[in-house]
Amino acid sequence: MLFRFRRRCLLPLLGAILLAASPVAAQKYRTAAGLRLSPGQYGLTVQQKFLPGATLEGLALAGTREVSATVLAERHFGILGPSLNYYLGAGGHVGNHKDTGTFGGVDGIVGVEYKVALTRLVISADFKPSIEFGSDDWARFPTAFSVRYILIKEKKTGLLDGVFGGGKDKSNAKDKPRNSGRRGLFDW
């Protein structure tokens, strides 16, 4: 009974947290791909930005007796600038175990990532609990370490763009002709 209550409350609570938090467009990349390592599993990870501060992450994982694929929607939040982020997300997975057959489940994820300065590398560490259906394990609580290479960078912005209007194509007010047919006192 308690397990059902927790399971029913976990996903709505996670969804409410994701919707209530305000994301910061902190990521410095649009697409990144790399390797994911955890105790007992390894695989590939691909992240694609689809909204400011939000990504879809695909994982293809293999263990000693199973393979699985996971899709996660994640929201990123800046910590002390755009190079260090934490993220929260949720998603689902399907897989095949050599002994018990196919399985599926729902996942949550919380992690931290760092874009290494002057390189195209992003390193991250995360905690990805999951609830299993059709498996001998009813829940898993893995941690993992990922290294991704940035395939597509985010557009560059300067440090002081907001202060000096960098890159914005604005015309100077002095260059605009007046459209008014009336002449002012000091207009010649």
Side-chain angles (χ1 to χ4, degrees), residues 14 74 86-90 108-112 125-129 142 144:
L14 183 60
E74 301 168 349
Y86 74 93
Y87 55 93
L88 304 168
I109 191 166
V110 59
V112 62
D126 62 61
F127 172 63
K128 188 178 78 64

Side-chain angles (χ1 to χ4, degrees), residues 84-100:
L84 183 62
N85 301 313
Y86 74 93
Y87 55 93
L88 304 168
H93 68 274
V94 294
N96 189 19
H97 192 279
K98 200 170 192 177
D99 298 328
T100 59

Side-chain angles (χ1 to χ4, degrees), residues 36-170:
R36 178 182 173 87
L37 304 170
S38 69
Q41 282 191 330
Y42 58 93
L44 300 175
T45 172
V46 176
Q47 276 190 336
Q48 175 63 49
K49 184 175 182 178
F50 68 96
L51 290 173
T55 60
L56 283 177
E57 182 174 10
L59 304 172
L61 303 172
T64 55
R65 305 199 56 80
E66 70 182 35
V67 293
S68 66
T70 306
V71 175
L72 299 161
E74 301 168 349
R75 302 259 309 214
H76 294 251
F77 305 89
I79 304 173
L80 301 175
S83 293
L84 183 62
N85 301 313
Y86 74 93
Y87 55 93
L88 304 168
H93 68 274
V94 294
N96 189 19
H97 192 279
K98 200 170 192 177
D99 298 328
T100 59
T102 61
F103 62 90
V106 293
D107 300 89
I109 191 166
V110 59
V112 62
E113 73 177 5
Y114 177 69
K115 195 277 183 193
V116 181
L118 305 175
T119 68
R120 286 184 156 233
L121 294 178
V122 177
I123 57 174
S124 68
D126 62 61
F127 172 63
K128 188 178 78 64
S130 64
I131 298 173
E132 300 283 325
F133 305 109
S135 175
D136 288 342
D137 298 329
W138 65 272
R140 296 183 188 186
F141 304 98
T143 58
F145 177 77
S146 299
V147 177
R148 292 183 204 90
Y149 181 79
I150 297 173
L151 301 173
I152 301 173
K153 290 183 177 182
E154 187 68 26
K155 291 181 181 179
K156 289 186 177 184
T157 58
L159 180 63
L160 301 174
D161 275 354
V163 176
F164 298 110
K168 294 183 181 176
D169 199 20
K170 292 184 179 178

Side-chain angles (χ1 to χ4, degrees), residues 1-54:
M1 174 93 170
L2 183 61
F3 171 69
R4 287 184 185 168
F5 176 74
R6 285 183 184 173
R7 187 172 63 186
R8 287 183 189 166
C9 291
L10 179 65
L11 289 177
L13 180 63
L14 183 60
I17 291 170
L18 291 176
L19 292 175
S22 61
V24 176
Q27 287 174 268
K28 292 184 131 191
Y29 61 91
R30 288 189 119 1
T31 306
L35 299 174
R36 178 182 173 87
L37 304 170
S38 69
Q41 282 191 330
Y42 58 93
L44 300 175
T45 172
V46 176
Q47 276 190 336
Q48 175 63 49
K49 184 175 182 178
F50 68 96
L51 290 173

